[in-house]
């Protein structure tokens, strides 16, 4: 298997089969990135294709910085395409009022979101965790992914999503609480 450096060099220089090699090597991983942001598989596939088009048209902007840098760059391009997809489709990010309704619904259902027990995520498969993340409301899911997986600051997230920094922070907190509750429910269900 070619190194990232060889692969990026081949693509930048138009070597036959290099683009297919890149696609074959990273499509599965990048599809998982898309699925973290975009809940339905068909739309995620569309975003993945758009991401590869963006990669192939902007590969000259990529500068190899060591093993892993190509994968990191591909991930960033794909995540940005996901965010663009969400914005273009006028996906509404959770407002404070909607967040309050989510908490109220959780309380009515008997879940105290502030007091959720820390879940043992080690007992769940990555597929289970991925599914739980995709079930988050769009705004929570976007903020959670950007903060946890992309390690972006609330300032960066706020700028990208057009929300306030404190909204980013509160959406992250609520996303974590919802995930903790759902993880605990799933673990409890698996034990029965």
């Amino acid at each position: 298997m070619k190194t990232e450096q060889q692969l990026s060099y081949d693509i930048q220089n138009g070597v036959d089969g290099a683009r297919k090699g890149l696609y074959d090597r990273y499509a599965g991983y990048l599809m998982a990135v898309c699925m973290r942001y975009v809940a339905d598989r068909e739309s995620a596939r569309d975003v993945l294709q758009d991401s590869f088009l963006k990669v192939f048209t902007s590969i000259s902007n990529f500068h190899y910085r060591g093993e892993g840098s190509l994968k990191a760059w591909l991930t960033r391009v794909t995540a940005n395409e996901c965010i663009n997809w969400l914005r273009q489709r006028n996906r509404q990010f959770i407002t404070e009022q909607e967040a309050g309704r989510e908490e109220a619904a959780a309380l009515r259902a008997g879940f105290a979101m502030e007091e959720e027990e820390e879940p043992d995520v080690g007992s769940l498969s990555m597929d289970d965790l991925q599914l739980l993340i995709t079930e988050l409301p769009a705004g929570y899911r976007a903020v959670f992914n950007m903060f946890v997986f992309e390690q972006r600051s609330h300032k960066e997230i706020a700028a990208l999503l057009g929300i306030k920094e404190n909204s980013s922070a509160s959406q992250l907190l609520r996303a974590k609480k919802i995930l903790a509750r759902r993880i605990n429910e799933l673990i409890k269900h698996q034990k029965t």
Side-chain angles (χ1 to χ4, degrees):
M1 181 185 296
K2 290 184 178 186
T3 66
E4 283 189 345
Q5 186 174 22
Q6 292 168 322
L7 189 55
S8 63
Y9 177 84
D10 288 352
I11 293 168
Q12 289 174 340
N13 291 291
V15 173
D16 287 341
R19 288 181 177 198
K20 183 180 181 328
L22 180 82
Y23 185 88
D24 291 345
R25 184 169 174 179
Y26 293 107
Y29 171 77
L30 296 176
M31 180 64 174
V33 171
C34 291
M35 289 297 297
R36 284 197 323 247
Y37 284 93
V38 180
D40 78 278
R41 187 165 291 281
E42 286 304 311
S43 295
R45 283 187 187 128
D46 291 344
V47 174
L48 178 66
Q49 295 307 314
D50 291 345
S51 298
F52 273 104
L53 288 174
K54 180 78 160 205
V55 164
F56 294 140
T57 59
S58 61
I59 192 74
S60 62
N61 297 330
F62 171 72
H63 301 288
Y64 182 77
R65 294 187 178 108
E67 199 63 28
S69 62
L70 178 61
K71 185 176 183 181
W73 182 74
L74 293 169
T75 302
R76 179 60 62 112
V77 168
T78 302
N80 287 339
E81 285 299 307
C82 291
I83 293 164
N84 289 338
W85 183 89
L86 290 169
R87 278 195 301 230
Q88 289 171 357
R89 276 135 191 94
N90 290 325
R91 301 286 190 208
Q92 294 297 317
F93 294 102
I94 303 298
T95 64
E96 292 302 316
Q97 183 179 14
E98 290 167 330
R101 285 195 296 257
E102 172 75 26
E103 282 188 53
L107 289 171
R108 281 193 303 276
F111 301 108
M113 293 182 77
E114 287 79 35
E115 300 172 16
E116 192 62 43
E117 184 178 316
E118 186 73 24
D120 176 21
V121 294
S123 64
L124 295 180
S125 71
M126 288 306 291
D127 288 341
D128 286 338
L129 288 173
Q130 178 78 26
L131 179 62
L132 293 174
I133 291 169
T134 61
E135 291 174 346
L136 287 171
Y140 291 0
R141 185 174 59 245
V143 170
F144 181 84
N145 283 311
M146 293 171 78
F147 188 86
V148 173
F149 295 107
E150 294 181 47
Q151 300 178 342
R152 293 184 191 239
S153 70
H154 288 298
K155 185 175 184 173
E156 291 174 297
I157 295 168
L160 285 167
L161 299 180
I163 60 176
K164 295 178 181 176
E165 275 184 67
N166 61 354
S167 292
S168 174
S170 66
Q171 288 186 31
L172 175 64
L173 179 64
R174 289 181 176 109
K176 287 180 176 180
K177 288 177 181 179
I178 291 169
L179 276 176
R181 183 185 78 228
R182 290 180 179 166
I183 289 168
N184 285 332
E185 289 171 355
L186 184 57
I187 291 170
K188 189 182 290 183
H189 177 74
Q190 288 176 345
K191 287 181 179 178
T192 58

